[in-house]
């Protein structure tokens, strides 16, 4: 009873089921009216024509937008501020297709007729404009995969602390390259390369501790 009475994600999803059914049979005005009232009450906007699979979980929900031609698979988790939006003014398919068992972090924007593969994880505030491989982790702006076919915990992956850091990885690679160049210069100068000063880069964001999601 508490869930039915007080969870806006559940309210929005139940209202969408009704609006989508009416839209499918061609009822005018009413589906959009239901969607507008639901948006006002819950802060979640789901177009009546959007196709949403079973088991969608919208956590908190404020600011979630699911566009007209979007398709959402089964057991998908969306956090607040997620947008499944379109690009341009072309007709036809213009919103994302999200596979099953996908987790999308708060503030993420998925734009255009892209496909998000089964089991993917989209980091918070990521802007995704290209297809996402199955079982991958995507971060950044524009979003790009930083982990593919990694081990995943059972159920929605809510660990947003231990995501890979592509900026730190790039700096680490640059530091290693600079160290190699410094040793090469020392050899050319007739110095002992093992005694040459090699700069060290302190990790930008050391992550320690257990998985806060319990995985």
């Amino acid at each position: 009873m508490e869930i039915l009475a007080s969870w806006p994600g559940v309210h929005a999803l139940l209202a969408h089921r009704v609006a989508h059914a009416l839209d499918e049979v061609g009822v005018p005005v009413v589906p959009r009216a239901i969607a507008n009232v639901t948006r006002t009450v819950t802060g979640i906007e789901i177009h009546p024509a959007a196709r949403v699979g079973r088991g969608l979980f919208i956590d908190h929900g404020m600011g979630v937008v699911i566009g007209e031609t979007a398709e959402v698979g089964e057991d998908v988790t969306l956090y607040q501020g997620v947008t499944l939006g379109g690009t341009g003014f072309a007709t036809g398919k213009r919103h994302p297709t999200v596979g099953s068992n996908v987790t999308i972090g708060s503030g993420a924007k998925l734009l255009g007729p892209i496909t998000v593969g089964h089991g993917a994880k989209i980091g918070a505030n990521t802007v995704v404009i290209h297809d996402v491989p199955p079982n991958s982790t995507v971060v950044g702006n524009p979003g790009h995969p930083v982990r593919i076919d990694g081990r995943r915990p059972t159920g929605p992956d809510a660990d947003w602390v231990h995501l890979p850091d592509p900026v730190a990885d790039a700096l680490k690679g640059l530091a290693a390259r600079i160290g190699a160049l410094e040793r090469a210069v020392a050899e050319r100068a007739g110095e002992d390369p093992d005694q040459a000063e090699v700069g060290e880069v302190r990790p930008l964001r050391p992550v320690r501790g257990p998985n806060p999601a319990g995985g």
Side-chain angles (χ1 to χ4, degrees):
M1 290 301 297
E2 179 181 355
I3 292 173
L4 290 176
S6 61
W7 283 34
V10 173
H11 300 161
L13 187 57
L14 292 177
H16 171 71
R17 300 296 188 201
V18 176
H20 181 70
L22 295 175
D23 183 76
E24 286 280 276
V25 298
V27 175
V29 181
V30 177
R32 291 303 297 268
I34 293 175
N36 287 337
V37 171
T38 304
R39 179 183 62 181
T40 301
V41 173
T42 66
I44 300 170
E45 180 174 348
I46 307 177
H47 194 284
R51 298 183 178 276
V52 177
R54 298 175 58 184
L56 173 65
F57 174 52
I58 304 176
D59 196 11
H60 301 292
M62 180 60 67
V64 168
V65 176
I66 301 177
E68 179 180 6
T69 61
E71 299 177 41
V72 180
E74 297 184 356
D75 300 321
V76 172
T77 300
L78 306 180
Y79 288 86
Q80 66 272 16
V82 168
T83 299
L84 305 182
T87 55
F89 298 97
T91 58
K93 177 67 173 173
R94 61 187 188 280
H95 296 87
T97 297
V98 179
S100 299
N101 295 302
V102 171
T103 304
I104 304 179
S106 60
K109 313 299 178 188
L110 284 67
L111 305 176
I114 60 176
T115 299
V116 179
H118 174 93
K121 180 180 180 181
I122 312 298
N125 294 318
T126 298
V127 179
V128 184
I129 55 177
H130 301 293
D131 290 348
V132 175
N135 299 314
S136 62
T137 299
V138 174
V139 299
N141 181 7
H144 54 281
V146 293
R147 181 181 297 159
I148 299 178
D149 289 327
R151 186 177 64 85
R152 294 175 53 80
T154 303
D157 186 353
D159 179 13
W160 305 108
V161 175
H162 296 86
L163 288 177
D165 188 339
V167 175
D169 292 341
L171 290 177
K172 186 184 297 183
L174 289 173
R177 180 59 177 163
I178 291 172
L181 291 173
E182 289 176 339
R183 285 188 290 270
V185 170
E187 289 179 356
R188 287 294 185 93
E191 301 175 358
D192 184 357
D194 293 331
Q195 301 298 323
E197 291 188 6
V198 178
E200 295 184 0
V201 177
R202 185 176 61 184
L204 293 179
R205 186 177 55 84
V207 178
R208 300 185 181 89
N211 183 337

